[in-house]
Amino acid sequence: MSVSPSHPAEGGQFALLGQQRFAPFFWTQFLGAANDNLFKFAFTVLVTYQLQVSWLPPSLAGLVIGALFILPFLLFSATSGQLADKLDKKTLIVFVKRLEIGIMALAAWAFFTTHIPLLLLCTFLMGLHSTLFGPVKFAYLPNHLSERELTGGNGMVEMGTFVAILLGNLAGGLIIAVPEIGAHHVGFSCVALALIGRVTAQAVPATPATDPGLTINWNPFTETWRNLLLARGNTVVFRSVLGLSWMWFFGAVFLSQFPSFAKEVLHGNEQVASLLLIVFSIGIGIGTGSLMCEVLSRRHVEIGLVPAGAIGMSVFSIDLYFASRGLPPASSLGLSEFIAMPAHWRVLADLTLLSLFAGLYSVPMYALIQMRSQPTHRARIIAANNILNALFMIASAVIAGALLSAGFTIPQMFLLVGLANAVVAFYIFLLVPEYLLRFVAWVASRLVYRFKVRGDEHIPTQGAAVLVCNHVSYVDAVLLMAASPRPIRFLMDHRIFKVPLLGWLFQLSKAIPIAPQKEDAQAYEAAFEAAVAVLREGDLLAIFPEGGLTRDGRLQPFKGGVMKILEMAEREGLRPSVVPMALTQLWGSYFSRVEVRDGEAVAMVRPFRRGFFSRVGLRVGAPLAPALVTPEGLRDRVGALLV
């Protein structure tokens, strides 16, 4: 049963850990990720340091194990996406955990007998286990979390995943290192984690199938192609999937090179390599990257954080190149010796901040994909995301190997990836300007102003609606963008498009210019046709019914444009709700017409006239049915919000 979007959990994202709709699911995925990594890392250490296998040399062991684990994502993600849409998600989760118990029992026997081919088979099967769970993992959350909880819930899952990876790797390395009986203990540990995961899976609440009539296509190749086409059908979602896949490409370069980077560049031993992994995991998962998203987004799906994350990823990966140049020569440094050298602190800071911004980049993208995907095939789009992630990770390994073979150093590779990230991010933000627009809105509402929103639960998270607001300054539209969890199309005076920078910004947001009827009757009618088309598509339309910026700070009479829009919509059978809004404390700011020059009220003539971080606000009233709307009554509603 889904939670009501209007009643999010109190206490923030950590409060979700005390609720049945989230906690059993969280611990189930946590235990599965920990088991994956405990098994893989212990197996890697076994064949790298403890056994001599002629046909699997240590230099190839990590690559072979990693490739076998990723291969099922390419082969079976499409099928698993179909299953997650067709079946109750709890049913599928329980099946996956039962499968995990069987695989780990087989792996335990293989560890006891040091049967390497069987362990390789178990690696592939654990990859299949993760492939089946992947679409369920992200398709489950939108069914049980409201829009206001989705970013926090994703942050918790991302945190849990990276903590599980970290603990699994550390536990796998420590347990397998126990003389003589380490492999036996690994087997017992893997089976124990699988059994505990099965117990937590039983407490996961039922989640009815979103498309129970779906006919499964068991051909993984044709279905993979169909899933990619399905994802491509929604431009914003598909390009977000590409953006996430790039993040996995970016991260895979760093994760794969940590051992060599620690040994060859930082002159550290195995403990130093482990420290790099810990620092990277802390940055991306434990309270910094993923968990900061909820705080910075104010419990909304705030994709404006994605450009901020991309900028940080590039800045600190490039700085990592400079930080790792010219380090003093040394023999194999232990952990204490490494930390004692101040030159290494900058390296650790870069890795921490790089991973922090990677968390800011990825979590809102995951939440956007979940929120904007059609529920009936949400899991299949997640499956398409997993397929592309796997392809990008494989491409990362191939390209990284080619660069190293061509003579590039590891720091130079970090520099190239940082520069490439800047280019790729800029390209994605041009293709999907919503990211850039939300970033500008986020900066304006958090860094330029101290922006407080009251009543934002009245802004519809689904369906068409007309947002009606007073018009105080040139940045009113930017602040409304910051308050809404969804994109807004604005009907705006054509003259505002001539304002430098703001005009370009409003063109990018596909705002609809409107000219007075006496000035251009054809453009006037075309603007209203475009406004109704926005409602026809089920989107949000915002209008400033005063017809222009206030020149004295007072609310002006409302014109009849909103009534014309509602009447035209009614003729098409559309009945969008009308949401009154009031921007407060903006009069007197730099972007308002508070200054008088040559008898004319003008704006933008005294920068910082109210200093930095001046307080402004938005108050949102309860939605009105179209039949109850009149210009005078709507003005009274907005006026009451200003009091």
Side-chain angles (χ1 to χ4, degrees), residues 8-17 19 21 148-149 152-153 156 294 299:
E10 297 297 328
Q13 62 202 112
F14 287 101
L16 293 172
L17 288 175
Q19 301 183 22
R21 61 193 172 112
R148 290 170 63 84
E149 296 171 315
M156 292 293 291
E294 188 187 42
R299 301 188 71 186

Side-chain angles (χ1 to χ4, degrees), residues 38-191:
L38 189 156
F39 168 78
K40 283 192 301 175
F41 196 70
F43 181 27
T44 304
V45 172
L46 179 70
V47 295
T48 302
Y49 293 100
Q50 298 180 9
L51 295 179
Q52 298 298 320
V53 183
S54 59
W55 50 272
L56 188 62
S59 59
L60 293 178
L63 290 174
V64 171
I65 291 170
L68 278 174
F69 188 81
I70 292 174
L71 183 59
F73 284 90
L74 290 176
L75 297 178
F76 304 116
S77 283
T79 304
S80 64
Q82 294 178 90
L83 292 172
D85 279 333
K86 182 178 178 63
L87 303 176
D88 184 302
K89 290 172 180 57
K90 175 179 179 176
T91 301
L92 193 53
I93 289 172
V94 169
F95 169 78
V96 168
K97 303 315 287 184
R98 286 174 176 165
L99 178 64
E100 183 185 357
I101 293 172
I103 297 169
M104 288 294 94
L106 188 63
W109 185 83
F111 272 117
F112 295 162
T113 59
T114 60
H115 196 301
I116 303 304
L118 190 55
L119 285 170
L120 290 172
L121 173 63
C122 290
T123 302
F124 178 85
L125 292 175
M126 283 304 288
L128 175 62
H129 151 270
S130 296
T131 302
L132 289 171
F133 190 74
V136 182
K137 174 180 175 180
F138 288 106
Y140 172 91
L141 292 177
N143 288 280
H144 293 271
L145 302 184
S146 69
E147 184 275 332
R148 290 170 63 84
E149 296 171 315
L150 203 52
T151 294
N154 274 287
M156 292 293 291
V157 170
E158 288 293 287
M159 176 208 69
T161 300
F162 279 97
V163 172
I165 290 171
L166 174 62
L167 294 179
N169 283 334
L170 290 176
L174 291 173
I175 296 172
I176 196 69
V178 176
E180 299 182 5
I181 58 173
H184 292 189
H185 286 180
V186 169
F188 290 132
S189 300
C190 289
V191 172

